[in-house]
Amino acid sequence: MAPSLLPRSPVALALSGLACAAALAAAVWFTLPDPRPLASKPPRTTALVEQRRREAQRARRPFHPRMTWVPLERISPRLVSAVLASEDARFFGHGPFDWDAIQLAAEQDWQERRFARGASTITQQLAKNLWFGTEKSLWRKGREALEAVKMERALRKRRILALYLNVAEWGDGVFGAEAGARARFGVSAAGLSTAQAAVMAAMLPAPRRCDLHHPSRWLKRRARHVLGILLESGRIGPAEAQAARAELDRILGAAPRAAAAAEPAPDDGPDEPPPDDDP
């Protein structure tokens, strides 16, 4: 007589599911790109550059990407600090993932019943830019997460930061801090002022939608918020912050009194961008 098939316990089902997930992750791991060559040489192109090229071809418009590699030492320390403040404040203190940021994002998403806040680290964003593009799918996010683990094992933190700053998108066909600084302000990445650095960091979530000739309230809020973080964290002093605020007014237009005083968080209301290609 054949043995009866008994229902499996919840614990057994959970363990079986974990085993299947681990097996899938292991299989995917070996198909992912090897980041080790990036320890000593920059990438020739990126998935995001090639995605933008295909988009331009479909739209039948020219595409001439600008991307000039510069070492981290030739990027303004103010831009480095501003990008970290804007994108991943605990970058040097966590691994591939920022679990505190993930928890905060989940809580905010639950409260607002929408995907209101991202929690991707700079390493995850770099993996996306280099190899996966901006396709919105769980498959891409899963591969991106595994690649971030690979990158953190293979590359030093400063190298990951240098790679990110050199391939991040800063406008239509503009990639990297050097090209971004020249396209936006006509200066080198090393020559950016504190205010210019705050603006460049502020536009990162949706750079192609940021027009400095007609800046949105969203960009103004974010730039002033980044500047406020730099002051609060001690990266800049009160005198430098005051001078930078005055320069921000020249770049983006004067802030309303309440905004200038309160340094509101960027979540206070959109008033344009994004979306660009988030998450």
Side-chain angles (χ1 to χ4, degrees):
M1 185 175 178
S4 61
L5 296 176
L6 298 175
R8 303 176 70 180
S9 71
V11 173
L13 288 172
L15 290 174
S16 177
L18 286 173
C20 290
L24 177 61
V28 172
W29 177 273
F30 292 104
T31 68
L32 292 173
D34 182 1
R36 288 176 296 179
L38 295 175
S40 57
K41 61 181 181 181
R44 295 176 62 184
T45 187
T46 71
L48 185 56
V49 171
E50 299 311 313
Q51 175 185 324
R52 299 300 186 220
R53 192 189 307 279
R54 292 191 298 273
E55 291 169 354
Q57 289 172 345
R58 287 196 294 269
R60 296 185 177 181
R61 59 181 177 81
F63 180 73
H64 305 290
R66 288 169 281 172
M67 185 167 69
T68 303
W69 177 272
V70 291
L72 196 58
E73 293 73 23
R74 285 175 50 196
I75 297 175
S76 165
R78 292 294 179 255
L79 180 61
V80 176
S81 296
V83 168
L84 288 172
S86 174
E87 299 298 300
D88 191 352
R90 290 183 288 271
F91 173 70
F92 285 103
H94 61 65
F97 316 113
D98 185 344
W99 297 109
D100 291 338
I102 290 171
Q103 181 179 346
L104 287 172
E107 290 172 354
Q108 184 172 340
D109 292 347
W110 175 258
Q111 290 170 359
E112 300 188 21
R113 298 295 190 270
R114 65 186 180 94
F115 292 110
R117 177 175 181 154
S120 292
T121 61
I122 279 177
T123 308
Q124 289 174 273
Q125 293 182 49
L126 176 59
K128 176 184 71 174
N129 290 345
L130 284 174
W131 290 299
F132 305 119
T134 63
E135 175 197 1
K136 291 178 172 65
S137 72
L138 291 176
W139 174 243
R140 189 215 90 198
K141 292 295 288 183
R143 296 173 72 219
E144 173 191 300
L146 286 173
E147 186 66 45
V149 175
K150 263 193 166 183
M151 294 176 71
E152 292 267 350
R153 290 185 176 188
L155 305 172
R156 297 168 65 93
K157 282 283 194 178
R158 282 180 59 82
R159 182 61 176 177
I160 291 172
L161 182 57
L163 286 162
Y164 175 80
L165 290 168
N166 273 283
V167 304
E169 189 174 35
W170 257 296
D172 190 12
V174 180
F175 301 89
E178 182 70 15
R182 294 191 181 280
R184 296 294 187 171
F185 296 109
V187 301
S188 68
L192 288 165
S193 69
T194 302
Q196 291 169 340
V199 172
M200 284 192 60
M203 64 176 62
L204 273 175
R208 296 186 303 164
R209 299 196 64 203
C210 293
D211 182 354
L212 296 188
H213 298 292
H214 302 92
S216 65
R217 290 180 62 191
W218 175 88
L219 180 60
K220 293 177 182 180
R221 271 199 303 270
R222 281 187 60 87
R224 292 186 173 99
H225 180 62
V226 169
L227 198 58
I229 295 174
L230 293 179
L231 176 61
E232 291 168 11
S233 64
R235 296 284 185 178
I236 61 175
E240 185 176 346
Q242 183 176 1
R245 286 195 191 98
E247 187 180 357
L248 271 183
D249 288 348
R250 293 193 294 272
I251 296 171
L252 301 177
R257 272 182 205 171
E263 297 290 2
D267 297 341
D268 283 359
D271 282 88
E272 295 178 41
D276 197 352
D277 281 309
D278 61 349

